[in-house]
């Protein structure tokens, strides 16, 4: 009996030790694989291709690749038809979807009706600047061509060059994997705002700043220069309008002082501003930003795989990972947290609907006043009110997460937008009456279709053109890109190219 | 040498032990004093006098007495002159100060120009209901007279009876010191809203509910009854309008359905609602309320005196005790926390100014339309818009802390208030034009004086009357109260009776 016990004990010990050694070996292999890094000298060849990074950072790559899962097309014009009227005369009135995963950045830029249907490398309508936030090829091209040269010409010029979507090299140094910024305008923006440059910032700040390279308000600044062939050229340079500060009011003042106009409204003739995606500016104002939380803390939470901890590069809504995001700091149930966020969104939706309803009506009423003979001079104050109304409203909603990042600021902005729109509408009643029009009721814009009718927009020619472009020039771009080795054929095939709001029809 | 060391050691030990025994004795005395309680049979005689509670609860009493320190008169009409116009035809347009400490509750009710200048116990203008939230004498009188009987007659009827300000017996049982409510309408309100009654609530909920006895929206419900002499009587019974729920929108619906009117606006003739102090309703909506924080947690923080922990009854702004309030849960510097609260207040102020500016203008423009011959029927929609605008705006600001308790809801309400006011103003441009008036500009109301001029209010007669009342009837009340033993002479003398906005002049 005693002998048997001893034997079983010894055998058990041997098994356990064996397992332990196995475990140690496995961990050692894992440790080695984690330490596998590109050499500091050469870095990663073809670093613009994210799959080249996969051998060193397999987990980060795999999670980045999962941005593909964020594939749903959400037609924001169907959801908010007043936006169609707000953007009459501007490409946004044709097509505007909520953003999908980074994986689709290049393809969605090609697909949207906003970028039109170029027929060769000189047709647009959009400038090359339009690619800026879409691809790892952009920093590459800036390095190869020069920054001003990159920002010269129409976007079609780079159709076969900008092929890899937002990926590793946009935010990481390929030699050290350290965070870095890859576009020169960003540091210029920080400096204009009097903020520390990227290099001067803390690591935690960098975990937001790399995102802010793109997730900010910007405009295309017309810049004349002489190229290497001694020819005068005009670049449209992405520029952050932060010289007076980064609040919505400060940026408004900046644009007003330089009389910047994104587009002239086709109905009201208002000199308009279009907000891009000022996520960073509004995030800074909100409580999470103030408390030093970074974008990555919630959108790229630390994740465990076996014994390895890494940052999840499937950038997504933190609500999809409440256990790894909110719950790190907040002791509450997922259900309660979802309810709280839902209420924030609901309040934003209420004020957004009110504000954009009045903004759209103000445009249409101004159009009616023009039709009735009102002069631009008579409408000057109305134009300023509408410009500011839509700017503030747009800045509040264009960053889709701002209702959460800075809920109070967003509500204040929407309230202020509505106040400006209503002031315009009060003036318009008088102006219309002066021109003999009383009780004017703006046409229906309660659906996307009705709204596009109201602004006299027929989508079909734009769709037809686009489909033709996709069958011809786009196919050519892809072929060339593969031939030039700009993209791996498998990666190119992997991106479905036909998911847009108009294909759904 | 050895002997000396031993001697010093022994002596030291004796001293230390002596101190220890002393300390133990002191603590034992303290423990006994803490256990000193009124008998469960008799309770505290004259419990309406808070100084009678001092012998059992000296710390709580002393801290309650310090509500006297909150003595500043802040003239809200000077700060927000648009409110004068908003309340034209209602006593609030004469005099409206931010609340002072509980200590002044009775005296401030006597002093305000809102309560007028009664000349005997049958003159008002206000009903007895007006005393309801001011005094520990109110539950006493309800017990002695009956609830409906208490709510019958003018406030002057009880001038020598309601003399002790909000104090111990409003919230505590005098036999057990347990939290209790002392007015019957409150449980009726909770039941109407489908909420647990006070008795059914948890202790933590009770730490808010005792405050909510007063810090809620209510109205005076006209109630006919037959008194003990078989005479028909009309009581004005404090009633919480919660039968449809406690949100601002739900209460609005409640009042609309019963066509309740607090006053008819003297200029616009709008059937108006006046919000009281809906602190509790808005607090529930905000994040602190949602997370189960109670009023007392921040406004009556636990405090240490020697080895005794007690709840500070100097009910004040939590910002005066950040170390004992915010910092219990939030790890941040006092400076940062103050900044965050300041920003919330600033946003509220911005939207409040906008909303009440438009509300005031809507009233004045409606007045002009009436003057020009517009019929009440023509103005029906305008009246509804103004009624709702002012209701929502008033509910957002009448509870002075709501901008902090529920910042997002307050911003939403102010935005919604402004939208309704602007809708009215747009309609008014058309109505005025129809009656031959174009480009009407409302009179200036940028100061309290200008605003009172704009509504044709001359304060002087009200001040003169009031001063006469204070020299005559009020003095008589105080004399009688002391003679009847309703208040201790020292306590009566202790309250300065001349701090009001008009005395300052």
């Amino acid at each position: 009996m005693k002998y048997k016990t001893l034997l079983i004990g010894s055998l058990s010990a041997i098994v356990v030790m064996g397992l332990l050694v196995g475990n140690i070996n496995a961990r050692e292999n894992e440790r080695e694989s984690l330490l596998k890094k590109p050499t500091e000298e050469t870095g990663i060849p073809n670093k613009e291709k994210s799959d080249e990074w996969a051998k060193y950072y397999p987990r980060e790559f795999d999670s980045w690749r999962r941005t593909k899962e964020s594939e749903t097309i959400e037609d924001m014009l169907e959801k908010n038809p007043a936006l169609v009227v707000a953007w009459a005369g501007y490409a946004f009135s044709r097509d505007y979807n909520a953003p999908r995963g980074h994986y689709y950045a290049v393809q969605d830029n090609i697909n949207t009706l906003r970028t039109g249907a170029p027929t060769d490398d000189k047709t647009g309508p959009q400038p090359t600047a339009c690619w800026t936030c879409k691809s790892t090829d952009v920093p590459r091209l800036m390095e190869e061509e020069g920054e001003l040269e990159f920002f010269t010409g129409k976007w079609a010029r780079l159709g076969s060059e900008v092929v890899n979507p937002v990926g590793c090299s946009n935010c990481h140094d390929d030699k050290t994997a350290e965070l870095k910024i890859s576009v020169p305008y960003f540091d210029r923006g920080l400096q204009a705002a009097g903020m520390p440059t990227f290099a001067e910032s803390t690591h935690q700040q960098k975990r937001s700043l790399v995102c802010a390279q793109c997730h900010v308000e910007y405009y295309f600044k017309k810049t004349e220069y002489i190229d290497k062939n001694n020819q005068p050229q005009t670049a449209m340079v992405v520029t952050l309008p932060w010289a007076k500060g980064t609040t919505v009011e400060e940026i408004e003042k900046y644009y007003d002082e330089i009389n910047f106009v994104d587009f002239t409204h086709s109905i009201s003739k208002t000199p308009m501003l279009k907000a891009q995606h000022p996520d960073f500016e509004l995030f800074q104002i909100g409580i999470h930003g103030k408390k030093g939380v970074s974008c990555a803390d919630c959108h790229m939470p630390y994740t465990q795989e076996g014994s390895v901890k890494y940052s999840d590069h499937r950038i997504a809504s933190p609500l999809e990972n409440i256990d790894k995001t909110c719950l790190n700091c907040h002791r509450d149930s997922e259900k309660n947290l979802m309810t709280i966020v839902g209420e924030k969104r609901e309040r934003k939706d209420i004020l957004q609907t009110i504000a954009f309803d009045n903004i759209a009506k103000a445009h249409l009423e101004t159009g009616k006043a023009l039709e009735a003979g009102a002069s631009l001079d008579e409408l000057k104050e109305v134009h300023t009110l509408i410009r500011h109304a839509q700017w503030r409203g747009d800045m509040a909603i264009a960053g889709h997460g701002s209702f959460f990042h800075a809920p109070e600021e967003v509500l204040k902005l929407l309230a202020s937008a509505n106040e400006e729109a209503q002031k315009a509408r009060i003036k318009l009643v008088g102006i219309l009456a002066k021109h003999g029009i009383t009780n004017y009721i703006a046409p229906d814009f309660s659906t996307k279709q009705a709204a596009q009718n109201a602004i006299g927009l027929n989508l079909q020619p734009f769709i037809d053109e686009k489909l033709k472009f996709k069958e011809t020039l786009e196919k050519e771009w892809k072929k060339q890109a593969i031939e030039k080795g700009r993209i791996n054929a498998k990666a190119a095939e992997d991106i479905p190219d036909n998911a847009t709001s108009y294909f759904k029809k």
Side-chain angles (χ1 to χ4, degrees), chain A:
Chain A
M1 183 60 204
K2 244 185 177 176
Y3 169 76
K4 217 175 170 182
T5 310
L6 204 66
L7 185 69
I8 292 170
S10 304
L11 287 174
S12 302
I14 289 167
V15 169
V16 169
M17 281 173 70
L19 286 172
L20 200 63
V21 169
N23 188 275
I24 289 171
N25 284 343
R27 285 191 181 239
E28 183 54 24
N29 291 341
E30 203 164 75
R31 202 181 66 82
E32 272 173 25
S33 91
L34 285 173
L35 289 176
K36 196 169 154 189
K37 266 193 189 169
T39 68
E40 291 256 348
E41 285 75 37
T42 60
I44 296 176
N46 299 314
K47 63 182 176 188
E48 68 278 5
K49 297 177 189 169
S50 292
D51 40 7
E52 297 292 330
W53 297 59
K55 58 188 90 149
Y56 305 106
Y57 313 104
R59 290 168 189 80
E60 286 82 357
F61 174 80
D62 282 343
S63 62
W64 167 82
R65 209 168 164 281
R66 286 185 64 208
T67 61
K68 195 180 170 184
E69 292 169 14
S70 158
E71 62 175 347
T72 315
I73 295 277
E74 192 183 1
D75 187 335
M76 298 306 282
L77 298 179
E78 275 190 358
K79 216 175 151 193
N80 306 289
L83 292 177
V84 172
V85 180
W87 291 326
Y90 199 51
F92 270 84
S93 61
R94 293 177 213 154
D95 193 11
Y96 172 49
N97 307 319
R100 299 197 293 167
H102 279 167
Y103 197 81
Y104 300 103
V106 166
Q107 192 58 48
D108 281 351
N109 196 45
I110 294 172
N111 286 354
T112 176
L113 294 179
R114 292 206 298 281
T115 51
T119 50
D120 59 34
D121 67 358
K122 289 197 169 49
T123 46
Q126 308 295 356
T128 51
C130 217
W131 286 121
T132 312
C133 278
K134 308 300 179 188
S135 167
T136 48
D137 289 304
V138 170
R140 175 182 66 78
L141 286 162
M142 284 184 182
E143 267 172 48
E144 290 172 11
E145 299 190 333
E147 190 191 2
L148 289 173
E149 289 75 4
F150 169 79
F151 282 127
T152 303
K154 297 296 180 185
W155 74 290
R157 177 171 76 80
L158 302 172
S160 62
E161 290 289 331
V162 181
V163 284
N164 295 285
V166 175
C168 314
S169 64
N170 286 115
C171 303
H172 292 283
D173 186 282
D174 63 313
K175 289 173 184 144
T176 64
E178 295 281 320
L179 290 177
K180 69 153 198 180
I181 52 169
S182 56
V183 283
Y185 63 78
F186 188 64
D187 256 348
R188 292 199 299 266
L190 291 173
Q191 282 172 313
M195 294 164 72
T197 61
F198 186 80
E200 290 161 358
S201 299
T202 64
H203 182 67
Q204 176 68 352
Q205 289 167 331
K206 288 179 181 173
R207 283 160 53 84
S208 291
L209 292 177
V210 289
C211 309
Q213 293 182 90
C214 291
H215 290 265
V216 288
E217 164 63 13
Y218 57 82
Y219 71 110
F220 301 161
K221 186 175 180 176
K222 213 172 177 172
T223 308
E224 317 282 349
Y225 72 103
I226 304 294
D227 72 7
K228 57 189 173 201
N229 302 322
N230 230 7
Q231 295 299 307
Q233 296 283 3
T234 305
M236 298 298 277
V237 181
V238 169
T239 304
L240 311 190
W242 291 356
K244 293 183 177 298
T246 61
T247 69
V248 174
E249 291 83 355
E250 286 162 340
I251 301 178
E252 179 183 290
K253 215 169 156 197
Y254 174 93
Y255 281 143
D256 281 356
E257 283 192 14
I258 61 167
N259 287 314
F260 184 75
V261 176
D262 269 303
F263 70 106
T264 298
H265 196 275
S266 67
I267 294 172
S268 70
K269 307 302 173 201
T270 311
M272 301 299 296
L273 296 171
K274 173 75 193 81
Q276 316 304 327
H277 21 59
D279 302 296
F280 179 67
E281 292 92 331
L282 280 149
F283 166 73
Q284 281 186 303
I285 294 172
I287 194 68
H288 286 88
K290 270 191 203 302
K291 301 285 278 183
V293 176
S294 76
C295 303
D297 284 325
C298 305
H299 291 282
M300 305 175 69
Y302 286 116
T303 279
Q304 194 122 4
E305 204 168 78
S307 62
V308 182
K309 178 185 157 196
Y310 68 101
S311 166
D312 188 349
H313 282 56
R314 183 179 79 91
I315 293 147
S317 165
L319 298 179
E320 292 176 28
N321 298 295
I322 289 183
D323 60 322
K324 296 192 181 67
T325 56
C326 316
L327 293 183
N328 279 339
C329 300
H330 299 283
R331 275 177 294 176
D332 210 335
S333 71
E334 296 205 3
K335 194 177 154 227
N336 279 353
L337 291 165
M338 289 294 276
T339 304
I340 290 166
V341 177
E343 286 174 354
K344 288 175 195 291
R345 188 196 299 275
E346 200 186 318
R347 287 197 186 91
K348 185 272 291 177
D349 284 345
I350 291 170
L351 295 202
Q352 174 181 343
T353 303
I354 291 173
F356 277 89
D357 184 66
N358 285 315
I359 288 169
K361 284 176 180 158
H363 280 299
L364 294 166
E365 287 157 4
T366 308
K368 189 72 187 173
L370 284 164
E371 212 181 287
S375 69
L376 289 179
D377 202 51
E378 251 179 299
L379 292 167
K380 204 171 166 196
E381 210 178 331
V382 165
H383 279 157
T384 303
L385 289 166
I386 295 179
R387 173 181 163 98
H388 290 170
Q390 188 159 325
W391 165 250
R392 295 173 199 176
D394 201 6
M395 283 294 277
I397 63 166
H400 298 279
S402 300
F403 82 90
F404 178 79
H405 296 147
E408 295 165 38
E409 185 71 4
V410 159
L411 295 176
K412 186 203 80 177
L413 287 171
L414 287 169
S416 164
N418 191 50
E419 165 68 0
E420 298 304 286
Q422 289 285 43
K423 276 195 216 156
R425 294 192 65 206
I426 288 180
K427 291 201 179 295
L428 283 161
V429 181
I431 294 170
L432 282 165
K434 204 180 130 195
H435 291 276
I437 293 173
T438 50
N439 301 319
Y440 171 68
I441 306 280
D444 175 42
F445 53 86
S446 60
T447 64
K448 179 180 173 183
Q449 187 59 59
Q452 290 183 333
N453 290 346
I455 66 166
L457 173 64
N458 177 11
L459 270 195
Q460 204 51 54
F462 295 103
I463 297 174
D464 293 345
E465 261 178 25
K466 191 67 157 194
L467 295 176
K468 197 172 154 204
F469 152 80
K470 288 184 70 65
E471 280 308 309
T472 52
L473 192 59
E474 189 194 352
K475 280 207 160 37
E476 186 58 28
W477 288 352
K478 292 213 163 142
K479 214 177 111 217
Q480 284 176 20
I482 293 168
E483 281 168 10
K484 289 193 278 190
R486 285 282 161 237
I487 190 166
N488 299 341
K490 199 185 152 296
E493 264 170 39
D494 210 26
I495 302 176
D497 70 356
N498 61 352
T500 74
S501 61
Y502 53 93
F503 279 142
K504 281 195 306 182
K505 304 295 157 72

